Amino acid sequence: MAMFLRKQRFSILLYMKIFIALYFSLFFNSADYSDVSEKHEVVINTDAYQLYQQLNNESLPFEPFNMAYQAYFKLKDSLGLKENIISVVDFSQASTQKRFYLIDMDAKKVLYQNYVAHGKNTGVLNATRFSNILHSNQSSLGFFKTGETYYGKHGLSLKLDGLEKGINHLARKRHIVIHSASYAEESFIKKYGRLGRSFGCPALPSENYAEVIELIKNGTLLFIYSQQTNYLELSELGN
């Protein structure tokens, strides 16, 4: 009798595990979570997920948006972040994709989406290597707070302050800024099959970039993401 009960208990537990596995499989597949890093356990914020569905933008992966959303509310008060605006750069996508997203969380829409260049030592078509080192000519990952604007050799530019020690905190010393560049244009892709590359700055096409800088300057959150790195395991803000 005892053995029969043990077998029954084992069968019930087995069926419960199968049911739970099928449930989560259906949930994640319904939202297309193929971009989620296998090594990084994603904590899904339900409010972020609802807003993500309302954005209705299939090219924006959920994981970087989810991370940026949670970091925004984690940092909003302590950093005095401005408005409900976040910007996401997804360097897991090739440079031929429009991988810069400016998101208005109040309006529940992507206000701007366009190409963005990565550093010349970060990769060619794809961004694969990242750095916080001076003169590395590589892009840095992680969370940044936008600073003040200035006019330099690329015209109107926006300074960035890295918020993650050891990951991007030298951004200002490295002169990592948002600016426009001819090598970030679609015409460059048509000619060379990829975007050109910067010295580490997230460079944008010239069209509408001044309006973008005006929207995000002086205290909004920018998140530069990639899953091709151990950033997700190192970052405190990204967890």
Side-chain angles (χ1 to χ4, degrees):
M1 183 67 175
M3 182 164 297
F4 172 79
L5 290 174
R6 281 198 297 271
K7 287 183 178 179
Q8 289 292 97
R9 192 178 299 115
F10 175 80
S11 297
I12 291 169
L13 289 172
L14 180 61
Y15 283 123
M16 286 179 66
K17 288 180 179 179
I18 292 172
F19 173 79
I20 292 169
L22 287 172
Y23 174 83
F24 279 100
S25 175
L26 287 170
F27 175 80
F28 283 113
N29 286 338
S30 67
D32 187 15
Y33 291 90
S34 59
D35 61 288
V36 175
S37 171
E38 292 181 359
K39 294 181 180 179
H40 180 65
E41 183 178 350
V42 179
V43 178
I44 298 174
N45 182 288
T46 53
D47 291 333
Y49 181 65
Q50 289 176 1
L51 177 55
Y52 175 75
Q53 289 182 307
Q54 291 173 307
L55 293 175
N56 193 29
N57 188 306
E58 294 181 355
S59 63
L60 172 63
F62 176 69
E63 181 170 69
F65 172 76
N66 180 53
M67 293 168 67
Y69 180 95
Q70 295 188 70
Y72 172 82
F73 287 102
K74 190 185 297 184
L75 299 169
K76 180 181 179 182
D77 294 332
S78 61
L79 293 181
L81 293 177
K82 186 179 74 172
E83 302 172 354
N84 282 348
I85 288 177
I86 55 176
S87 302
V88 175
V89 173
D90 181 18
F91 277 154
S92 290
Q93 299 182 45
S95 67
T96 51
Q97 295 175 274
K98 294 182 177 180
R99 53 190 182 168
F100 183 101
Y101 305 86
L102 170 55
I103 301 156
D104 185 327
M105 294 187 288
D106 284 338
K108 299 177 176 58
K109 64 191 297 185
V110 177
L111 299 178
Y112 171 88
Q113 179 181 350
N114 216 328
Y115 303 106
V116 56
H118 54 253
K120 68 177 186 178
N121 288 335
T122 282
V124 183
L125 175 63
N126 295 96
T128 58
R129 298 179 300 278
F130 304 91
S131 175
N132 188 44
I133 298 172
L134 293 170
H135 312 301
S136 66
N137 293 335
Q138 291 182 338
S139 299
S140 293
L141 296 175
F143 291 94
F144 301 78
K145 181 181 178 181
T146 61
E148 68 276 19
T149 59
Y150 71 99
Y151 283 87
K153 65 179 182 179
H154 295 289
L156 179 65
S157 303
L158 176 64
K159 293 185 178 182
L160 300 173
D161 290 299
L163 301 177
E164 301 196 71
K165 184 75 173 177
I167 295 174
N168 61 22
H169 75 285
L170 295 178
R172 192 167 280 248
K173 284 187 178 180
R174 294 181 61 209
H175 306 291
I176 302 301
V177 303
I178 295 178
H179 61 77
S180 69
S182 58
Y183 55 75
E185 306 283 351
E186 188 169 13
S187 57
F188 195 98
I189 294 175
K190 290 178 179 178
K191 187 174 181 180
Y192 298 102
R194 60 170 175 82
L195 282 188
R197 295 162 297 165
S198 67
F199 290 152
C201 297
L204 299 174
S206 59
E207 184 180 8
N208 297 327
Y209 96 100
E211 289 88 343
V212 171
I213 286 181
E214 185 64 29
L215 280 170
I216 68 175
K217 69 179 183 180
N218 296 328
T220 64
L221 189 69
L222 166 70
F223 180 39
I224 300 180
Y225 165 89
S226 175
Q227 40 173 204
Q228 300 175 7
T229 174
N230 62 352
Y231 165 76
L232 299 177
E233 283 70 50
L234 295 174
S235 172
E236 294 182 4
L237 289 176
N239 290 289

